[in-house]
């Protein structure tokens, strides 16, 4: 490469020292020395410059080849990306289908379990209603029997009092004071018997009302328990223990 610069310097010196042609800016240079120096410059130039010139000469072909290679690369990348997207979409569809099937299965199982729980609660509520009705009918029957017995006893006592009063009236028919006392005693006995009958009937009514109130509380508790169970199932909080709640009810304890 040093020889290139040296030959160029010599060419510059030749041109500067050459004789000029009058009336022009041209000069006369020695041809052999100039050609030798140019040959030296050509020989001293590195091969990379020649290769670079070849590259410049074939630039369009290289650019076209590079463009074609880039297009092939892009097309291959697009095909691979399309295939990857299709595979990913197929995998996503498969995962979504499996998730949907699993969710449907869980919903079906939860629905079946909820139906079983509701059926159990309904059966227990019906049993409680039947027990309450039977208990009500039993208590009502006993109260009615007791009321009838007390009314019958009152009527019998009244009849006896009337009979006693009539006998006493006949015996003391001539004694006005005694008759009036008999009538007063008879009326008192009748009022007492009627008051006792009314009191006993009121006691029976109060007893029946108390039992009905207890049954009403029991049934209300059962309905609230069933409602809480349904709410827990809807909120996904688990399955309530109906057996534990219904097992401690007042009707079961009395039995």
């Amino acid at each position: 490469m040093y020889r290139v610069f040296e030959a160029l310097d010599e060419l510059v010196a030749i041109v500067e020292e050459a004789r000029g042609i009058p009336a022009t800016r041209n000069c006369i240079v020695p041809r052999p020395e100039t050609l030798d120096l140019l040959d030296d410059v050509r020989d001293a130039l590195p091969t990379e410059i020649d290769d670079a010139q070849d590259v410049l000469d074939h630039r369009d072909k290289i650019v076209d080849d590079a463009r074609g290679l880039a297009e092939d690369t892009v097309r291959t990348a697009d095909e691979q990306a399309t295939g990857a997207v299709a595979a990913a979409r197929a995998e996503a569809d498969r995962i979504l289908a499996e998730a949907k099937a699993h969710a449907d299965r869980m919903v079906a199982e939860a629905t079946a379990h909820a139906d079983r729980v509701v059926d159990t609660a309904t059966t227990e509520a019906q049993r409680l209603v039947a027990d309450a009705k039977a208990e009500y009918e039993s208590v009502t029957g006993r109260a009615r029997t007791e009321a009838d017995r007390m009314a019958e006893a009152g009527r019998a006592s009244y009849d006896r009092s009337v009979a006693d009063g009539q006998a006493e009236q006949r015996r003391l028919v001539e004694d006005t004071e005694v008759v009036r006392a008999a009538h007063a005693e008879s009326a008192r006995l009748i009022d007492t018997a009627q008051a006792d009958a009314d009191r006993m009937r009121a006691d029976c009514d109060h007893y029946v009302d108390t039992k009905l109130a207890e049954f009403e509380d029991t049934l209300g508790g059962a309905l609230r328990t069933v409602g809480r169970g349904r709410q827990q199932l809807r909120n996904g909080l688990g399955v309530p223990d109906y057996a534990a709640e219904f097992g401690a009810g007042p009707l079961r304890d009395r039995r």
Side-chain angles (χ1 to χ4, degrees):
M1 194 67 185
Y2 176 77
R3 178 55 186 158
V4 173
F5 294 110
E6 186 180 19
L8 291 175
D9 291 339
E10 291 179 3
L11 285 172
V12 170
I14 291 174
V15 172
E16 290 178 347
E17 296 173 357
R19 283 184 310 180
I21 300 175
T24 65
R25 295 174 60 87
N26 297 328
C27 65
I28 298 174
V29 295
R31 179 180 295 174
E33 289 83 355
T34 303
L35 292 176
D36 289 339
L37 290 173
L38 291 175
D39 289 337
D40 290 341
V41 171
R42 182 185 296 112
D43 293 338
L45 288 174
T47 57
E48 287 80 2
I49 295 178
D50 187 56
D51 293 339
Q53 184 62 43
D54 292 339
V55 170
L56 292 175
D57 294 339
H58 299 83
R59 178 178 57 188
D60 295 337
K61 182 178 181 303
I62 293 173
V63 170
D64 293 338
D65 292 342
R67 184 178 292 109
L69 179 60
E71 290 176 354
D72 292 339
T73 302
V74 171
R75 184 169 52 254
T76 303
D78 289 339
E79 293 175 354
Q80 291 178 353
T82 302
V85 169
R89 184 177 292 109
E91 182 67 15
D93 292 339
R94 184 186 64 79
I95 294 174
L96 181 61
E98 291 180 355
K100 186 176 182 302
H102 182 67
D104 293 339
R105 185 170 61 255
M106 292 181 65
V107 169
E109 292 176 356
T111 302
H113 182 70
D115 292 338
R116 290 195 299 271
V117 171
V118 170
D119 291 340
T120 301
T122 302
T123 302
E124 185 65 17
Q126 291 175 352
R127 186 185 64 78
L128 289 172
V129 170
D131 291 343
K133 186 180 294 184
E135 185 71 14
Y136 167 75
E137 292 177 353
S138 176
V139 171
T140 304
R142 290 197 301 270
R144 187 178 295 111
T145 301
E146 183 67 17
D148 293 340
R149 185 188 66 77
M150 294 176 68
E152 184 64 28
R155 284 194 296 270
S157 177
Y158 170 75
D159 293 338
R160 286 195 302 273
S161 298
V162 171
D164 293 341
Q166 289 175 351
E168 187 68 16
Q169 183 182 17
R170 286 192 298 271
R171 189 178 64 82
L172 302 173
V173 67
E174 295 177 355
D175 189 350
T176 304
E177 189 67 27
V178 174
V179 171
R180 283 198 299 270
H183 281 294
E185 182 65 18
S186 176
R188 187 186 65 77
L189 292 175
I190 292 173
D191 293 337
T192 301
Q194 188 65 37
D196 291 339
D198 293 339
R199 181 181 56 77
M200 291 181 181
R201 185 178 297 277
D203 292 341
C204 291
D205 291 341
H206 177 70
Y207 177 75
V208 171
D209 182 69
T210 302
K211 293 300 180 181
L212 291 178
E214 293 177 359
F215 295 147
E216 183 179 5
D217 292 339
T218 301
L219 293 177
L223 292 177
R224 289 192 295 273
T225 300
V226 172
R228 288 196 302 273
R230 295 183 64 189
Q231 185 65 31
Q232 291 179 6
L233 288 175
R234 285 195 296 269
N235 294 334
L237 300 178
V239 180
D241 189 1
Y242 287 108
E245 294 191 18
F246 290 135
L251 288 177
R252 187 182 298 276
D253 293 340
R254 285 197 296 272
R255 291 194 298 274

